[in-house]
Amino acid sequence: GAVVSQHPSWVICKSGTSVKIECRSLDFQATTMFWYRQFPKQSLMLMATSNEGSKATYEQGVEKDKFLINHASLTLSTLTVTSAHPEDSSFYICSARVLTADWGGNSPLHFGNGTRLTVT
Amino acid sequence: SQQGEEDPQALSIQEGENATMNCSYKTSINNLQWYRQNSGRGLVHLILIRSNEREKHSGRLRVTLDTSKKSSSLLITASRAADTASYFCATAGAGNNRKLIWGLGTSLAVNP
């Protein structure tokens, strides 16, 4: 159980266009999802916390208007990279928690398989 | 900001050998988690150890936690080529903080 599906797995787009990445929790409800960015051979950088039915919480230095997050249902969060530029090329990964009585907000994360974005 | 640090950054061993990776952190934690990432893929949760636990086992994995030294280690015994991946530690703060603080990762290569 606890499967997170992320699509697309890779996308190539032209500079100036927008790209939407979807993150779905397939067998559980996720009131909170997390969007990360990862550069080659580096750790995860949290971009924003996506909250169902409310605005996302962005980390310092992440442009809200650049990286639009929508969490319209308990099983779907989307990240839209608007007016993409080559420097936005990266590996984007979403994750979600299965809340348990034991762990609550500190339970382990379940990750999607990531999206490789290349902006030409 | 990332506060965890793993060492070594890269580790290369032969199949059958044990692999040990270390993680240090800076602030009080609720728990510490280890994840694995195959190249170009998402992360998979391996094991979680609570702040009041000192050791935990799961199959060929053994995790220790020393809160006085703010450090943890992940031991993979009898390694296999399929264990080749990057391994990350992440800490969950005290107070039910929802954000994990990630380490920089250890890249493990297990040679057949």
Side-chain angles (χ1 to χ4, degrees):
Chain A
V3 176
V4 175
S5 176
Q6 185 173 342
H7 291 281
S9 55
W10 62 270
V11 57
I12 301 172
C13 71
K14 292 187 177 181
S15 190
T17 61
S18 296
V19 173
K20 180 185 283 188
I21 303 169
E22 290 189 350
C23 182
R24 294 180 185 272
S25 56
L26 295 186
D27 49 2
F28 67 100
Q29 293 183 332
T31 56
T32 302
M33 291 185 175
F34 302 90
W35 287 96
Y36 289 91
R37 182 173 180 174
Q38 186 179 33
F39 292 101
K41 299 188 185 299
Q42 294 192 24
S43 188
L44 300 174
M45 183 189 80
L46 180 64
M47 298 174 65
T49 301
S50 169
N51 304 298
E52 187 269 335
S54 65
K55 292 182 179 180
T57 304
Y58 288 83
E59 295 301 299
Q60 191 173 7
V62 178
E63 299 176 56
K64 300 179 183 182
D65 296 331
K66 174 76 171 174
F67 299 100
L68 298 178
I69 290 174
N70 183 276
H71 194 153
S73 77
L74 287 171
T75 59
L76 174 63
S77 176
T78 60
L79 168 67
T80 301
V81 182
T82 63
S83 187
H85 288 101
E87 57 265 32
D88 299 324
S89 298
S90 192
F91 191 57
Y92 294 88
I93 319 174
C94 71
S95 67
R97 279 198 170 99
V98 178
L99 296 181
T100 64
D102 267 355
W103 293 104
N106 282 314
S107 56
L109 294 177
H110 298 273
F111 284 83
N113 276 328
T115 297
R116 172 74 57 197
L117 171 63
T118 303
V119 184
T120 61
Chain B
S1 63
Q2 306 295 335
Q3 72 160 5
E5 296 181 1
E6 281 111 328
D7 74 270
Q9 290 186 356
L11 181 61
S12 181
I13 59 174
Q14 295 299 122
E15 237 179 353
E17 294 180 340
N18 295 341
T20 299
M21 290 160 268
N22 302 298
C23 168
S24 61
Y25 56 93
K26 296 179 181 176
T27 60
S28 296
I29 63 171
N30 176 288
N31 66 71
L32 185 145
Q33 304 171 25
W34 284 91
Y35 290 81
R36 165 197 170 125
Q37 183 181 33
N38 286 2
S39 181
R41 307 280 286 185
L43 282 75
V44 175
H45 174 252
L46 295 176
I47 197 164
L48 180 154
I49 186 165
R50 301 173 194 245
S51 60
N52 62 354
E53 296 177 315
R54 291 297 166 258
E55 188 171 312
K56 206 162 184 180
H57 297 255
S58 177
R60 294 184 294 113
L61 305 180
R62 173 178 168 253
V63 168
T64 62
L65 178 65
D66 187 335
T67 53
S68 66
K69 294 181 180 178
K70 290 186 168 56
S71 68
S72 173
S73 67
L74 170 66
L75 168 68
I76 303 174
T77 60
S79 64
R80 306 166 181 167
D83 294 328
T84 295
S86 291
Y87 292 82
F88 294 91
C89 69
T91 53
N96 209 30
N97 187 332
R98 292 174 175 268
K99 290 193 296 188
L100 292 180
I101 306 298
W102 293 88
L104 298 176
T106 294
S107 177
L108 173 65
V110 181
N111 304 303

